[in-house]
Amino acid sequence: HNDKGLHGCICGEQDVKGGVANEDCPLLREATGGHVGGVTCLDVSRTGKLLVTGGTDRTVRVWKREGRSSRYTLWKQSSPGHAKEVKSVSIHGRRIVSGSADGTVKVWAPTGRGAGLSCQQTLTGHRGAVSSVHFSPDGKRLVSGSWDKTVMVWDPSTGEQLCQLNV
């Protein structure tokens, strides 16, 4: 029995046939409290304990692995924070970033108690949908890419745009 859970499924370490996961990957077969609409993007924390998803319902949801099992349960979620669907998410530690079809980038952090995510920063500057977001390995920078043919580098703590590349 392969107990690598979702990470194993994503990394191809478990058998996934015809788009349907086998019994060793129960998350992909069943989840409760999920998105109201389609899942458009996801990222897995370095430890594999957290899974972040974004959806057409304009929300970001964080799923937490239960102990050593391969089952994930809903841990935190945002209220609709974007005006349009979430196109990309990234996680670094306990900070999450999302990019949306509304052209904004949002930096989120879990609230102390309850199941909420708090928006720490809303970054604006793109003139088109934000299709890609990613934290640098040390978490000190954030990069976003947009359909407006720009790549922007941000300081996620202050929201300051550090540079822009027109591609």
Side-chain angles (χ1 to χ4, degrees):
H1 172 36
N2 186 345
D3 194 30
K4 295 187 184 222
L6 179 64
H7 188 267
C9 289
I10 291 170
C11 296
E13 296 166 1
Q14 293 181 345
D15 185 23
V16 179
K17 295 180 181 174
V20 178
N22 68 11
E23 294 177 8
D24 288 337
C25 198
L27 172 67
L28 297 181
R29 289 187 295 115
E30 176 182 4
T32 58
H35 289 277
V36 181
V39 172
T40 56
C41 52
L42 64 89
D43 193 18
V44 179
S45 67
R46 290 180 190 256
T47 64
K49 292 183 179 183
L50 298 175
L51 166 71
V52 179
T53 58
T56 58
D57 59 2
R58 307 181 330 255
T59 66
V60 174
R61 296 178 191 249
V62 183
W63 306 81
K64 191 172 190 177
R65 189 172 71 204
E66 298 174 1
R68 301 181 130 215
S69 77
S70 58
R71 183 171 209 79
Y72 284 72
T73 56
L74 185 63
W75 179 51
K76 302 281 184 178
Q77 67 183 11
S78 69
S79 56
H82 288 285
K84 295 183 179 177
E85 74 182 56
V86 177
K87 304 294 257 175
S88 183
V89 292
S90 181
I91 183 169
H92 185 275
R94 294 174 75 88
R95 281 195 309 180
I96 296 155
V97 64
S98 60
S100 171
D102 67 11
T104 64
V105 174
K106 292 187 180 276
V107 180
W108 305 88
T111 57
R113 290 204 140 192
L117 285 175
S118 173
C119 182
Q120 305 293 303
Q121 299 279 346
T122 298
L123 312 177
T124 60
H126 288 293
R127 295 179 320 278
V130 177
S131 55
S132 184
V133 293
H134 196 74
F135 280 106
S136 63
D138 64 5
K140 293 181 180 179
R141 297 288 181 261
L142 169 63
V143 180
S144 60
S146 171
W147 292 356
D148 66 6
K149 298 183 182 178
T150 62
V151 173
M152 295 184 181
V153 179
W154 312 85
D155 180 329
S157 297
T158 65
E160 178 185 0
Q161 181 184 331
L162 303 174
C163 66
Q164 176 177 319
L165 174 65
N166 298 310
V167 293

